[in-house]
Amino acid sequence: LATVTSPALSLSGSASIGGVQVFAPLTFTVPAGQWTCLLGPSGVGKSTILRLFAGLDDGITFDGQIAISDGLPLKGCVSLMAQSDLLMPWLDLPENVCLGARLRGEGADLSRARHLLAQVGLSDHLDKRPAALSGGQRQRVALARTLMEDRPIVLLDEPFSALDAKSRAQMQDLAAELLAGHTVLHVTHDTAEAARLAHQV
């Protein structure tokens, strides 16, 4: 992986969806190069904050400011790992890892994709399609795809919640190791997960 210089992330303002206020007024900072968990029940605005940072703000009315500490545009600095692995069933694993480049019309670095898949423990499964993998293996591919984007800010939207306890613990360890030094914002309902992974909750 390239050396990542990870900025802090900040949001200040009010948000509503369909005229219903989700949060206001809120000032929120994600410290640079650290892992921050947003923990809480459904409906308090965790995913809304994540969607705003990800630029997926359709349907959200936001009055305020979102910024990163190095002054660069948010677009191009952020990658998102969702709760669902969102793998394309007709692509093999390296092609799935290169999906972002493919969608942007860029050349796919399949060699780097294979290296990342080896890092997440899938070097023996490269020619497989997603249907041949377990849930935990599919999330490893999703993590490799997130790393492939090589963005300094990583947003995690409950990506381990559907896994069994053993797979969840393995994915937590792997993500903590491979995302070290990144600015990570992780939405979760799992108190133990937040306590295990986060520099702040």
Side-chain angles (χ1 to χ4, degrees):
L1 285 178
T3 302
V4 176
T5 303
S6 299
L9 193 56
S10 65
L11 176 149
S12 180
S14 308
S16 60
I17 297 175
V20 177
Q21 194 167 77
V22 180
F23 59 76
L26 174 70
T27 300
F28 177 63
T29 300
V30 183
Q34 295 189 19
W35 195 301
T36 299
C37 277
L38 278 179
L39 178 69
S42 298
V44 297
K46 302 184 307 299
S47 291
T48 300
I49 291 172
L50 207 70
R51 285 171 60 199
L52 287 167
F53 281 137
L56 304 173
D57 52 3
D58 287 353
I60 303 173
T61 302
F62 179 68
D63 180 20
Q65 187 173 24
I66 299 169
I68 57 178
S69 59
D70 58 13
L72 294 173
L74 205 54
K75 186 177 180 181
C77 292
V78 174
S79 61
L80 171 67
M81 185 175 172
Q83 186 170 359
S84 168
D85 55 67
L86 303 174
L87 301 182
M88 301 295 106
W90 58 88
L91 298 178
D92 66 18
L93 302 197
E95 290 169 331
N96 261 294
V97 171
C98 292
L99 186 62
R102 182 174 177 171
L103 292 173
R104 292 189 295 271
E106 301 169 1
D109 187 348
L110 291 169
S111 175
R112 183 161 175 264
R114 292 184 194 98
H115 171 72
L116 288 169
L117 286 162
Q119 279 194 297
V120 300
L122 293 174
S123 55
D124 293 337
H125 304 275
L126 298 181
D127 59 347
K128 291 183 179 177
R129 300 289 189 271
L133 303 179
S134 69
Q137 288 172 326
R138 290 172 65 104
Q139 283 302 84
R140 286 171 184 260
V141 179
L143 177 59
R145 186 181 57 207
T146 302
L147 293 166
M148 186 74 183
E149 292 297 303
D150 202 21
R151 304 295 169 85
I153 298 167
V154 178
L155 308 175
L156 303 176
D157 190 5
E158 299 190 73
F160 316 133
S161 62
L163 301 177
D164 62 78
K166 182 180 179 183
S167 296
R168 187 182 312 127
Q170 289 173 341
M171 283 300 300
Q172 289 168 352
D173 289 345
L174 192 58
E177 176 188 347
L178 296 176
L179 293 175
H182 289 71
T183 300
V184 178
L185 178 60
H186 181 185
V187 164
T188 182
H189 289 92
D190 187 336
T191 306
E193 181 170 80
R196 187 171 191 220
L197 291 172
H199 293 95
Q200 55 277 314
V201 179

